[in-house]
Amino acid sequence: MRLMFLSYCLFAFSLFAGHAYAQVSIDNIIQINGVTMTADSLRAVGDVTISVKNQNRGVLSEYTGVFTLVCYKGDTLEFSCLGFRPKEFVVSKNLPGQYFTLIQLMVQDTFYLPETIIRPLPTREAFGFAFLNWRIPSDQYELARKNTNAYTLRTLAYTLPRDGHEAQSGVLAEQARQAMYYGQQQPMNILSPIAWGQFFEAWKRGDFRSENNPYNQFNNSDY
C-alpha cells in the first residue's frame, strides 16, 4: 500500500514538474517584429542580416526593412549590413508577453576600397592594338548576364544530357503510354500533319528511290 502511494506521488510530481517546465519555456519565447531604417533620414534599409549572437540562425530583412524573428528572452540580436555600422540589441528578460515591436536605426559607415592606379597607353597605335587584341576578363555581372541569356539557356536545354530525375520521368512516361495499349494494337500516327510533311519532303528528296525498283525506269526514260 505504501509502495503504491509513493508511486502516485512520484507520478503527480513528474506531471507538475513537466507542466511547470513547459510553461516556463513557452513564456521565455518571444517573437520580434521590426523594421530597419537609417538614423538620419528614416529611410528603409533592406537586406540587413539579423542573427542571434552565438547561434547559427537568423533572418534577412526585406527591401522595405521589415523582418520577423523568434528568439528567447535574454538573447542578443546582431544587425549587420554593407555600408552600415553593426548594431546589437539585447532582448530584455522582463518583457511581458510573447510579442515585441522593434525599430532599429542603422548608421551609415565609411569604408575604403584598395588603391587603383590608371595609366594611359604610350601611343595611339598601342591603344588601337590593345583595343583590338586585348581580352579583358568578364566580371561577375557580365558572367551572370551571359549565363542567363535566353539563347544560351535554350541551347543548353537541347544539348545537355538528361539527369537522373529527367531520365526516370521519361522512362515512367513511356511505360505508362505502353500500359495504356497493353493487349491491343497501338494507334497509327496517320493523321499527324508533321508526319505527312516529313513524308512529302522525303519523297521530294528521293529517299524512296531504288536502283532495282522496276517502276523507276519510266522516270529515267525519255518516254
Side-chain angles (χ1 to χ4, degrees), residues 138-198:
S138 301
D139 55 4
Q140 294 183 356
Y141 292 101
E142 184 65 17
L143 292 175
R145 188 188 65 81
K146 292 180 180 179
N147 293 334
T148 56
N149 182 269
Y151 180 76
T152 303
L153 295 177
R154 191 180 302 111
T155 304
L156 292 175
Y158 281 104
T159 56
L160 288 178
R162 293 183 177 182
D163 58 4
H165 180 72
E166 293 175 345
Q168 181 185 12
S169 300
V171 171
L172 293 178
E174 180 64 21
Q175 292 179 354
R177 189 186 66 83
Q178 295 179 0
M180 292 176 60
Y181 304 102
Y182 182 76
Q184 56 182 334
Q185 180 66 31
Q186 297 185 8
M188 299 179 62
N189 194 17
I190 61 175
L191 300 178
S192 175
I194 299 178
W196 278 106
Q198 295 175 354

Side-chain angles (χ1 to χ4, degrees), residues 46-216:
D47 298 331
V48 178
T49 303
I50 303 99
S51 59
V52 182
K53 192 174 183 179
N54 299 327
Q55 297 187 24
N56 190 20
R57 58 189 180 91
V59 295
L60 193 68
S61 65
E62 300 180 357
Y63 70 97
T64 57
V66 179
F67 69 92
T68 300
L69 178 65
V70 178
C71 61
Y72 289 101
K73 297 179 181 179
D75 287 342
T76 301
L77 303 182
E78 295 179 339
F79 296 82
S80 60
C81 182
L82 182 62
F84 295 88
R85 297 178 183 176
K87 291 287 185 177
E88 289 187 357
F89 176 78
V90 180
V91 182
S92 177
K93 297 182 179 181
N94 300 324
L95 290 177
Q98 277 74 44
Y99 299 95
F100 182 73
T101 303
L102 173 65
I103 299 178
Q104 180 62 50
L105 300 179
M106 307 293 294
V107 179
Q108 292 187 357
D109 191 12
T110 303
F111 57 94
Y112 298 94
L113 297 175
E115 181 182 5
T116 302
I117 300 176
I118 301 177
R119 295 188 178 91
L121 294 174
T123 61
R124 184 184 299 270
E125 291 75 12
F127 175 78
F129 178 82
F131 185 81
L132 295 176
N133 298 279
W134 282 8
R135 294 295 179 263
I136 301 176
S138 301
D139 55 4
Q140 294 183 356
Y141 292 101
E142 184 65 17
L143 292 175
R145 188 188 65 81
K146 292 180 180 179
N147 293 334
T148 56
N149 182 269
Y151 180 76
T152 303
L153 295 177
R154 191 180 302 111
T155 304
L156 292 175
Y158 281 104
T159 56
L160 288 178
R162 293 183 177 182
D163 58 4
H165 180 72
E166 293 175 345
Q168 181 185 12
S169 300
V171 171
L172 293 178
E174 180 64 21
Q175 292 179 354
R177 189 186 66 83
Q178 295 179 0
M180 292 176 60
Y181 304 102
Y182 182 76
Q184 56 182 334
Q185 180 66 31
Q186 297 185 8
M188 299 179 62
N189 194 17
I190 61 175
L191 300 178
S192 175
I194 299 178
W196 278 106
Q198 295 175 354
F199 172 75
F200 286 128
E201 292 295 331
W203 184 277
K204 292 178 182 179
R205 291 194 304 266
D207 296 346
F208 302 103
R209 295 179 182 177
S210 176
E211 298 295 336
N212 299 325
N213 191 350
Y215 296 100
N216 291 332

